[in-house]
Amino acid sequence: MRGVKSIKEQIYYAILEDILHGEYRSRDVLNERSLVEKYKCSKAPVREALLLLCNDHVLRSIPRYGYEIIRLTSEDVRDMMTFRLLLECGQMSACYKDFTPRQLGCLAAIDEKCRQVDLEIWDHWRYNKEFHVKMISFCGNDYITDELERCMDRLERAYAQSIVDSAAPPPLSMDTKHHRLILECLERKDLGGLLQALKEDLADFGNDHYHFLAEFDRIYPV
């Protein structure tokens, strides 16, 4: 197990957290000098962190100017949600009969966390992510699990962007309301119901539920 994060990693995650929590917004430009002053360190780890964020498509380097925060477009979100649809529905179709009572109990416990009314919005998002990643992990393919987690990490930026752009935060109960139905379908070994519940759940991302659902039904008809 890895120990304490390097300075480069600490700066990487600090910048990412500031983006997610709205201190920096899409299309803001960061520069090395201000970050060196902020983190009280040398230029090298700041530059390395910024380049790593560029490699992860969080920032875009503008020579002699700085690093612009990339704005995720509606097409980016659509592509990521389509990826999740195909990955999660495909994986669950292959292993929905294999879930054990212990695994379903673990997922139900995570869902209960999602339902807490006093949750901070970022805790809610992370419990939602945990529910989906844990569910897919029970299918036993580590590569697929890792790819889903990476996709949801990127979607967290889209989630943050939508919060910054909206006049009021979205109601937290809306985007996890299908978890219970997913669990009921897994318990009954009902594949058709499971796939429909998954599509409904994924379509709740953002504010365009019916558009997403129509697109999902076209791509992955039950």
Side-chain angles (χ1 to χ4, degrees):
M1 180 175 290
R2 298 193 60 184
V4 177
K5 290 184 176 69
S6 67
I7 297 175
K8 173 191 72 176
E9 291 172 322
Q10 292 176 46
I11 295 170
Y12 172 97
Y13 286 109
I15 293 171
L16 193 57
E17 282 294 306
D18 286 342
I19 293 171
L20 291 176
H21 290 86
E23 181 172 337
Y24 303 129
R25 297 193 174 204
S26 299
R27 300 198 178 98
D28 282 355
V29 176
L30 310 181
N31 63 74
E32 291 182 13
R33 179 180 296 178
S34 64
L35 294 172
V36 166
E37 293 174 357
K38 180 175 182 177
Y39 296 114
K40 313 295 184 191
C41 64
S42 64
K43 286 184 179 180
V46 168
R47 183 176 295 119
E48 290 171 357
L50 290 168
L51 291 175
L52 187 56
L53 287 162
C54 288
N55 290 338
D56 289 344
H57 307 290
V58 176
L59 302 178
R60 178 172 68 92
S61 177
I62 305 175
R64 297 182 297 279
Y65 187 54
Y67 297 83
E68 182 183 34
I69 298 171
I70 296 172
R71 181 176 180 80
L72 294 170
T73 66
S74 58
E75 289 77 16
D76 292 328
V77 175
R78 180 200 64 205
D79 290 347
M80 286 185 282
M81 295 307 297
T82 299
F83 173 79
R84 283 190 62 192
L85 170 77
L86 295 172
L87 185 151
E88 294 188 52
C89 286
Q91 186 72 330
M92 296 306 290
S93 294
C95 68
Y96 72 99
K97 293 181 179 179
D98 301 328
F99 278 71
T100 66
R102 182 191 64 80
Q103 290 170 336
L104 292 176
C106 175
L107 293 172
I110 298 170
D111 181 44
E112 284 302 316
K113 295 177 183 178
C114 293
R115 293 172 181 276
Q116 295 176 36
V117 296
D118 58 346
L119 276 182
E120 293 290 332
I121 192 164
W122 292 112
D123 291 331
H124 177 80
W125 167 261
R126 289 181 177 116
Y127 287 139
N128 184 29
K129 172 186 169 183
E130 183 183 3
F131 179 89
H132 285 270
V133 171
K134 181 66 72 174
M135 179 173 66
I136 292 301
S137 76
F138 286 146
C139 295
N141 188 312
D142 291 342
Y143 181 81
I144 289 176
T145 302
D146 289 345
E147 288 303 305
L148 175 61
E149 187 163 16
R150 288 181 66 241
C151 181
M152 292 196 74
D153 284 344
R154 194 173 184 212
L155 277 169
E156 187 172 2
R157 287 171 48 214
Y159 195 65
Q161 189 175 287
S162 69
I163 292 168
V164 169
D165 291 347
S166 63
L172 299 186
S173 59
M174 292 299 293
D175 60 1
T176 58
K177 63 181 182 290
H178 293 97
H179 286 183
R180 188 164 292 175
L181 181 57
I182 289 170
L183 294 174
E184 290 172 359
C185 291
L186 279 171
E187 190 171 13
R188 297 196 306 266
K189 316 297 184 188
D190 174 8
L191 179 59
L194 171 62
L195 296 181
Q196 188 59 39
L198 269 172
K199 287 198 289 188
E200 291 272 4
D201 182 62
L202 296 180
D204 282 333
F205 186 92
N207 300 315
D208 202 0
H209 172 88
Y210 293 107
H211 173 79
F212 264 135
L213 190 57
E215 182 72 3
F216 290 169
D217 284 339
R218 182 186 67 80
I219 295 169
Y220 207 110
V222 174

